[in-house]
C-alpha cells in the first residue's frame, strides 16, 4: 500500500494512534479500540465558509459566492446513484455533516457494518453530482435555513459581534451565506470549488472505534487515487487591526439579555502553535473560568448565571477571545473582564490558581481521548491546524505563570467589543 505512517503513544493519556499519509496526500488519523461498542469516522476537507477567494498555484485569485462551502456540503449527499442518507438507513448508521469557518466534515457512527459504512462515506464524498435543476432546488431549501437563523438569538448575538469586530474578513459573514449570495451559485461554481478543495491532498480521514487499521487503509487505497494537483493559494485578507465599533445591540424575544464580549487578537491571527492556543485558553480560564475569583464575584452579584462560558475562537486570519452568557447588565460584566485582563497583564497572577487551572484544562484534554467522538474531534483539529494528536498535552507541561502574563500583555483592549441581545420592549 502507498502510505507513510507514524505510530504515536501518549503515556499521559494512556492512548496510542497512527497518523498516515496516502500517496494522494490524504491525511489519515486512526485510533483502533478493541471492544468499543460504537465506531466514529469523519472524512473532511480543510475548506470552510471563509474560503471565498482562492487560486491554484500561480493562477489569479477568483472570488465565489458566500455560503458555497455549506451549499456543497448539502449537495454532496445527493449522488447520481441515489442519496447517501438512504444508503446509511439500510446499514443502520447515524450520518451527518457540518460546515464551519475553516472545515467541512462528513461523518457517521455505527455499532456494526463499519467497513460498509466507511465505503459509503469515501464513495459519496468522492463522487460529486450537480445539475442546474438540483442546484436550483437546493437554493430554496438553504434560503429557508438562512431565514430561520435570523430568528435564533444565540446565533444573532455572535454574528452581530463579528460584524463589529471585523472590517473585511469573511468570518463576519454567516456560514450559510445570504439568500442573495447563494442565488449566484451554479453547478459550474460548485464543481470549481469541489475540484479545488476536495483534492485528497487537502483532506483528512479520522476514525476511532473497533476496526482493523489494515482494512481501513485498504479501503482508502481502493477509493482514493493520487492525482495531479497544484497548491491552493488562499486569500491573506487585508484585515485592519482595529475593530469597527465597540458595541452593538438588537431586540429579540428573549427573557434576559444575551451577550458575547470579544477581544480581537491581532497578535495571534496567523501561525498559531499548540503552545500558543493552550496558553490563551489557560489565560481565559484564569480570568473568567468557573474556578476564577471573577466568576465567583459575578455569580454572587447576580451579573451572570451558570450559562456563562469562554471560547478561544481562531482560524486562518482571525483570532478572538470570547466571553458569553446571560446578564441583566452585560456592560458591567464586560468592564469586569477587561479589568481582570489588565490585572493579569500587569503580573498579578495567583500561582496556586494557575496550577489549579492548568490541572483542570490538562485533565479535560486527557478526557477527550476517553470518548470516540471527542478523539475524532481532536484528530480533525490536528488535520486543519497542522498539529499532532498529543501536542496539546505536551504544551501544558511547557507553560509557566509568566507565559500567561505575557499572553495577557499582548492583548489590545482597545479591540474589545460587546454584542447584546435585549428583550423586546413592551411599547
Amino acid at each position: 500500500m502507498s502510505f507513510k505512517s507514524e505510530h504515536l503513544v501518549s503515556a499521559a493519556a494512556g492512548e496510542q494512534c497512527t497518523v498516515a499519509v496516502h500517496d494522494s496526500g490524504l491525511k489519515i488519523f486512526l485510533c483502533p479500540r478493541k471492544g468499543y461498542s460504537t465506531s466514529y469516522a469523519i472524512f473532511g476537507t480543510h475548506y470552510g465558509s471563509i474560503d471565498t477567494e482562492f487560486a491554484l498555484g500561480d493562477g489569479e485569485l477568483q472570488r465565489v459566492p458566500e455560503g458555497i462551502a455549506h451549499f456543497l456540503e448539502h449537495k454532496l449527499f445527493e449522488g447520481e446513484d441515489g442519496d447517501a442518507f438512504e444508503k446509511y438507513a439500510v446499514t443502520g448508521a447515524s450520518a451527518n455533516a457540518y460546515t464551519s469557518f475553516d472545515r467541512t466534515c462528513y461523518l457517521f457512527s455505527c455499532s456494526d457494518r463499519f467497513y460498509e459504512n466507511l465505503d459509503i462515506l469515501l464513495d459519496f464524498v468522492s463522487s460529486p453530482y450537480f445539475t442546474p435543476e438540483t442546484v436550483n432546488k437546493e437554493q430554496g431549501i438553504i434560503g429557508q435555513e438562512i431565514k430561520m437563523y435570523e430568528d435564533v438569538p444565540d446565533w444573532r448575538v455572535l454574528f452581530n459581534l463579528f460584524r463589529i469586530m471585523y472590517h473585511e474578513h469573511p468570518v463576519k459573514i454567516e456560514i450559510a451565506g445570504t439568500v442573495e449570495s447563494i442565488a449566484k451559485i451554479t453547478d459550474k461554481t460548485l464543481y470549481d470549488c469541489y475540484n479545488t478543495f476536495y483534492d485528497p491532498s487537502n483532506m483528512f480521514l479520522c476514525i476511532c472505534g473497533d476496526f482493523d487499521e489494515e482494512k481501513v487503509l485498504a479501503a482508502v487505497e481502493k477509493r482514493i487515487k493520487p492525482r495531479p494537483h497544484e497548491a491552493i493559494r488562499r486569500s491573506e485578507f487585508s484585515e485592519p487591526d482595529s475593530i469597527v465599533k465597540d458595541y452593538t445591540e438588537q431586540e429579540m424575544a428573549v427573557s434576559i439579555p444575551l451577550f458575547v464580549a470579544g477581544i480581537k487578537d491581532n497578535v495571534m491571527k496567523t501561525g498559531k502553535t499548540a503552545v500558543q492556543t493552550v496558553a490563551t485558553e489557560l489565560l481565559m480560564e484564569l480570568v473568567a473560568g468557573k474556578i476564577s475569583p471573577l466568576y465567583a464575584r459575578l455569580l454572587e452579584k447576580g451579573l451572570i448565571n451558570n450559562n456563562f462560558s469562554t471560547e478561544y475562537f481562531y482560524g486562518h486570519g482571525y483570532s478572538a477571545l470570547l466571553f458569553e452568557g446571560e446578564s441583566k447588565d452585560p456592560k458591567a460584566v464586560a468592564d469586569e473582564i477587561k479589568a481582570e485582563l489588565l490585572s493579569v497583564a500587569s503580573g498579578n497572577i495567583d500561582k496556586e490558581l494557575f496550577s489549579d487551572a492548568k490541572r483542570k484544562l490538562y485533565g479535560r484534554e486527557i478526557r477527550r481521548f476517553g470518548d470516540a467522538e471527542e478523539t475524532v474531534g481532536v484528530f480533525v483539529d490536528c488535520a486543519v491546524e497542522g498539529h499532532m494528536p498529543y501536542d496539546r498535552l505536551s504544551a501544558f507541561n511547557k507553560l509557566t505563570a509568566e507565559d500567561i502574563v505575557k499572553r495577557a500583555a499582548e492583548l489590545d483592549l482597545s479591540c474589545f467589543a460587546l454584542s447584546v441581545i435585549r428583550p423586546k420592549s413592551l411599547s
Side-chain angles (χ1 to χ4, degrees):
M1 293 186 203
S2 308
F3 297 91
K4 294 178 181 178
S5 62
E6 181 179 2
H7 188 69
L8 303 177
V9 177
S10 170
E15 296 290 346
Q16 53 189 316
C17 66
T18 297
V19 179
V21 180
H22 184 240
D23 271 358
S24 64
L26 176 69
K27 294 178 282 292
I28 304 166
F29 297 78
L30 302 175
C31 183
R33 290 176 176 169
K34 196 70 177 174
Y36 256 52
S37 59
T38 301
S39 296
Y40 196 87
I42 283 181
F43 188 27
T45 176
H46 182 188
Y47 171 50
S49 64
I50 67 171
D51 294 306
T52 54
E53 195 171 58
F54 57 87
L56 286 175
D58 296 326
E60 290 187 12
L61 285 172
Q62 61 174 308
R63 187 164 185 82
V64 294
E66 293 154 356
I68 196 166
H70 173 260
F71 202 104
L72 246 177
E73 174 222 309
H74 275 234
K75 289 308 301 167
L76 272 186
F77 279 95
E78 185 181 336
E80 196 167 6
D81 63 344
D83 187 281
F85 282 118
E86 295 174 357
K87 296 176 183 178
Y88 281 125
V90 173
T91 65
S94 174
N96 211 336
Y98 65 88
T99 303
S100 69
F101 298 99
D102 60 1
R103 65 198 72 178
T104 306
C105 295
Y106 303 84
L107 56 99
F108 74 81
S109 61
C110 66
S111 55
D112 60 4
R113 302 173 73 169
F114 172 78
Y115 302 104
E116 188 177 348
N117 289 316
L118 178 61
D119 193 60
I120 293 171
L121 179 67
L122 297 176
D123 178 44
F124 86 81
V125 176
S126 303
S127 307
Y129 175 68
F130 316 127
T131 68
E133 293 75 22
T134 59
V135 169
N136 182 64
K137 178 183 175 183
E138 199 68 38
Q139 283 166 335
I141 295 170
I142 295 180
Q144 290 301 312
E145 181 180 333
I146 291 169
K147 291 176 181 176
M148 178 188 70
Y149 274 99
E150 292 175 357
D151 297 323
V152 180
D154 289 336
W155 194 254
R156 290 268 54 81
V157 71
L158 183 62
F159 277 92
N160 288 351
L161 176 71
F162 293 158
R163 289 189 183 111
I164 64 171
M165 289 182 74
Y166 291 93
H167 296 259
E168 304 292 341
H169 198 290
V171 74
K172 69 178 184 174
I173 305 298
E174 297 188 39
I175 291 168
T178 65
V179 172
E180 293 74 23
S181 70
I182 66 168
K184 300 173 185 175
I185 294 174
T186 67
D187 55 330
K188 181 184 182 305
T189 53
L190 287 174
Y191 277 117
D192 286 346
C193 290
Y194 180 89
N195 291 330
T196 298
F197 292 103
Y198 283 72
D199 186 289
S201 63
N202 192 53
M203 300 183 72
F204 46 85
L205 176 66
C206 308
I207 306 174
C208 182
D210 191 347
F211 63 89
D212 180 89
E213 286 189 14
E214 292 302 315
K215 288 184 179 180
V216 167
L217 296 180
V220 170
E221 185 80 352
K222 173 187 172 185
R223 286 289 184 185
I224 308 299
K225 305 301 179 186
R227 66 191 197 197
H229 67 272
E230 295 182 273
I232 300 169
R233 184 158 53 89
R234 304 170 197 258
S235 173
E236 290 305 317
F237 308 119
S238 56
E239 173 64 32
D241 286 349
S242 64
I243 58 176
V244 178
K245 59 180 182 178
D246 62 9
Y247 183 75
T248 185
E249 69 174 53
Q250 179 181 355
E251 288 190 355
M252 295 187 73
V254 296
S255 58
I256 185 172
L258 306 180
F259 72 91
V260 182
I263 308 166
K264 190 177 183 181
D265 182 17
N266 297 307
V267 171
M268 298 276 280
K269 63 184 178 184
T270 58
K272 291 164 281 290
T273 67
V275 172
Q276 289 169 324
T277 56
V278 166
T280 310
E281 291 168 11
L282 187 50
L283 168 62
M284 298 179 75
E285 184 66 27
L286 280 166
V287 167
K290 286 184 166 57
I291 66 170
S292 70
L294 174 60
Y295 181 88
R297 288 201 308 271
L298 293 175
L299 207 57
E300 185 179 355
K301 293 178 181 178
L303 285 173
I304 62 169
N305 54 31
N306 291 329
N307 291 328
F308 182 81
S309 64
T310 66
E311 178 189 354
Y312 183 36
F313 171 73
Y314 62 91
H316 178 55
Y318 65 91
S319 177
L321 287 70
L322 304 181
F323 306 84
E324 51 198 302
E326 300 172 336
S327 177
K328 61 186 180 183
D329 191 350
K331 288 185 178 180
V333 176
D335 288 341
E336 293 267 17
I337 292 170
K338 283 191 280 187
E340 196 70 20
L341 283 166
L342 283 171
S343 177
V344 174
S346 67
N348 185 14
I349 187 169
D350 185 312
K351 297 295 180 68
E352 185 176 344
L353 182 63
F354 167 78
S355 297
D356 289 345
K358 187 173 175 178
R359 280 194 296 270
K360 176 185 175 181
L361 295 193
Y362 185 75
R364 186 174 70 187
E365 194 71 21
I366 286 179
R367 287 193 297 275
R368 292 186 72 186
F369 292 99
D371 177 85
E373 183 175 350
E374 282 284 329
T375 299
V376 168
V378 172
F379 291 163
V380 171
D381 288 342
C382 290
V384 174
E385 297 169 22
H387 303 156
M388 294 297 272
Y390 307 123
D391 282 359
R392 283 173 56 88
L393 288 174
S394 301
F396 278 105
N397 295 325
K398 300 175 182 177
L399 288 173
T400 65
E402 290 70 28
D403 293 325
I404 305 307
V405 171
K406 179 182 176 183
R407 186 71 190 96
E410 292 173 342
L411 299 174
D412 181 356
L413 292 187
S414 71
C415 292
F416 192 105
L418 176 63
S419 170
V420 177
I421 298 291
R422 294 198 178 280
K424 284 185 175 179
S425 57
L426 298 177
S427 57

